[in-house]
Amino acid sequence: MDESEPLLASRSEERRLNGHCSSAPPRTLQSKVVEDFRRRLKYFFMNPCEKYTARGRKPWKLMLQVFKIAIITAQLVSFGLSNEMMVTFKDENLMTFKHLFLKGYKDQRLGSYALYTKEDVYDHVYYIINGYINLQNLTVGNLAYESVDGQYTPLSVCQEFYRYSSIDPETETFDIDPHIDKDCISIYPVQAFDGSGLGAHLNFSIDFKRLLSVNIYLTLKTINLQTVRHHELPDCYDFNIMIKFENRAHSGKIKVDVENDVRIYECRDWNVEGTSGKNDYLLLSFDSVVILACFLSLILCTRSVINGLQLQFEFNTFFQAYYNKSVSWSDRMEFVNGWYILIIVSDILTIAGSGLKIGIQTKYLTNYDVCSILLGTATLLVWVGVIRYLGFFKKYNVLILTLRGAFPNVIRFCCCAAMIYLGYCFCGWIVLGPYHDKFRTLAKVTECLFSLINGDDMYATFLHLRNEAGYMVWLFSRIYLYSFISLFIYMVLSLFIALITDTYETIKHSQQEKVPVSQLQVFIAECRDQPESGRYQTEEESAACCLSPCYCFG
């Protein structure tokens, strides 16, 4: 519909529309129905402060959201401190295992820990077994062996190797059966060996020509006592450790890696002197208050969304009946408040996360990661929702309207730019990957190129190309990097900013001129009643009178 076209139909048009009824209503009565419905729409789109001025209704939903922000943030901080202690305990134990079981290990990147001789491999395997057997005499921590049905769980040394392999690089011949076999031996922690050494007792040997990997599995138990200082019950931990000697490349370099899988559970029997469960009850009560507040917020926001959908249907039917015009989808979506959808999602995540948190505090559950994701995402959405209340002020509202207006164009622009970006990713991965660490995998390529767009680490990326790459690859890398940086920083990024700037200027101009930009806003703008006028104190008209003038006046 053209903005300059008046919404109210001419009197002849009204008579034509009313001709479908058995008797035409008085013109003043029909005009009153239109004005009442227009006033009803205007009230629906008021902010809480204006609604309070118009009808004296207290903004309970607004106050509940402010209260909810405070308690959800407090809950997140409390859980974050507890989660931080758990993560720190896991990381420090992993570092302990590296020092206990890796011979000569220093605080360095584990990726550089590798072996190059057969003697070193045997020496390190025996060192791990000795460390496991003599664990109680070595460790300063509260580590213990796992036991099942009164018997200790053994340490397992497993080899993976080709079923058959005959390789002779001198004559350039080989004969290999690629099927993989696995052979394991078990060592119990109570075993004792005399001074002749482990090699004479274990019957352990390695055929390095067939070897793919040597994996050592062991399980240790401990208790996290640091939570006692924060008035929380300690958790029991099972550390399932795997030390892997990787030889799949058969390059003469065997990489050594340590992996740690943790299981957290409630200890069987515990007693902390001088403490009571009062703090636990306070935390559980606080989490229950959070769940109750989010549940109330969920009900109120869901009701508001439903009311908006009902009013959207009434508005569409009203326009069809009075003006014989269809309402565009953009105007229909005005009735669906995206902020309420955001709050509903946040409430659902908070309720689920708080339930998991209660389970963790009562030691029935140990899903720290899932709980962290739920509570973290919920808190993020809650704080993003604060922008809605800043939008009640005109200067802040310009930012919100700009983001909403620019979003469709930005998405379309990003889809086009992504095609060029993926092309550069695949090209850089296949050409520069063998010679540049930042292009070694496809994931690293995407991260490196995104960093380059933001101007991060440019010179190091140029400099790090290996000398053995050759002149052709070196020249290609320069053309590749220069073209990518020039294209994305000087063109793509500039156009991206221009899209948002153009939308900002359009919104700013429309606000200064106070020109309605949609059919719905043009219709509502005809209502000149201010919130303090008292005209909104009257009861709302029946929805049936707004849906069809024939039904109302027939």
Side-chain angles (χ1 to χ4, degrees), residues 29 61 121 172 211 214 249 283 295 378 409 445 459 484 520 522:
L29 183 58
K61 203 158 33 182
V121 175
E172 302 176 355
L211 180 68
V214 177
L283 287 175
F295 186 72
N409 292 330
V445 176
Y459 181 70
F484 176 81
L520 174 63
V522 171

Side-chain angles (χ1 to χ4, degrees), residues 65-125:
Q65 297 306 318
V66 174
F67 174 70
K68 195 179 70 174
I69 289 173
I71 60 176
I72 286 179
T73 304
Q75 181 193 46
L76 184 73
V77 172
S78 174
F79 180 76
L81 295 175
S82 176
N83 194 30
E84 180 182 351
M85 288 188 293
M86 182 271 297
V87 172
T88 302
F89 186 73
K90 289 168 56 178
D91 291 342
E92 291 180 354
N93 272 274
L94 180 59
M95 185 61 64
T96 299
F97 299 145
K98 293 174 182 177
H99 281 274
L100 285 176
F101 300 118
L102 298 183
K103 185 176 181 180
Y105 178 81
K106 303 298 181 182
D107 291 335
Q108 57 186 348
R109 293 177 58 189
L110 195 59
S112 62
Y113 195 93
L115 308 175
Y116 300 91
T117 66
K118 296 180 180 179
E119 182 180 357
D120 283 341
V121 175
Y122 282 111
D123 194 19
H124 279 71
V125 171

Side-chain angles (χ1 to χ4, degrees), residues 257-381:
D257 192 12
V258 178
E259 297 179 4
N260 185 24
D261 184 25
V262 183
R263 186 175 73 91
I264 307 173
Y265 55 95
E266 181 184 10
C267 297
R268 295 180 181 177
D269 190 15
W270 56 269
N271 182 29
V272 182
E273 295 292 337
T275 61
S276 64
K278 181 179 180 180
N279 292 320
D280 291 335
Y281 288 125
L282 290 176
L283 287 175
L284 293 177
S285 300
F286 181 76
D287 291 332
S288 301
V289 171
V290 172
I291 293 176
L292 179 61
C294 291
F295 186 72
L296 292 176
S297 173
L298 179 64
I299 294 176
L300 294 176
C301 292
T302 302
R303 188 189 66 174
S304 297
V305 171
I306 294 174
N307 291 337
L309 293 176
Q310 291 176 346
L311 192 58
Q312 176 206 78
F313 174 75
E314 294 179 19
F315 179 68
N316 183 47
T317 308
F318 176 87
F319 245 66
Q320 290 283 355
Y322 274 86
Y323 305 115
N324 197 26
K325 296 178 182 294
S326 60
V327 180
S328 63
W329 277 106
S330 59
D331 284 345
R332 292 186 182 186
M333 293 306 296
E334 290 286 336
F335 291 90
V336 182
N337 195 322
W339 296 111
Y340 288 150
I341 303 297
L342 187 73
I343 294 173
I344 289 173
V345 174
S346 171
D347 290 336
I348 294 174
L349 293 178
T350 302
I351 292 173
S354 300
L356 283 177
K357 184 174 180 291
I358 291 176
I360 291 173
Q361 290 175 348
T362 55
K363 308 306 175 185
Y364 288 106
L365 299 172
T366 57
N367 299 322
Y368 278 91
D369 292 338
V370 177
C371 185
S372 300
I373 293 173
L374 293 175
L375 292 181
T377 306
T379 307
L380 170 65
L381 297 180

Side-chain angles (χ1 to χ4, degrees), residues 215-266:
N215 301 325
I216 301 179
Y217 303 93
L218 59 139
T219 301
L220 298 176
K221 302 166 68 70
T222 187
I223 301 176
N224 184 5
L225 295 177
Q226 63 177 332
T227 57
V228 175
R229 294 183 291 107
H230 298 273
H231 309 287
E232 294 183 20
L233 292 179
D235 291 321
C236 288
Y237 288 69
D238 279 354
F239 291 99
N240 299 307
I241 307 163
M242 183 182 74
I243 305 173
K244 188 172 186 177
F245 296 77
E246 181 65 51
N247 190 44
R248 295 183 182 275
H250 288 87
S251 61
K253 176 182 178 180
I254 297 182
K255 301 177 183 179
V256 182
D257 192 12
V258 178
E259 297 179 4
N260 185 24
D261 184 25
V262 183
R263 186 175 73 91
I264 307 173
Y265 55 95
E266 181 184 10

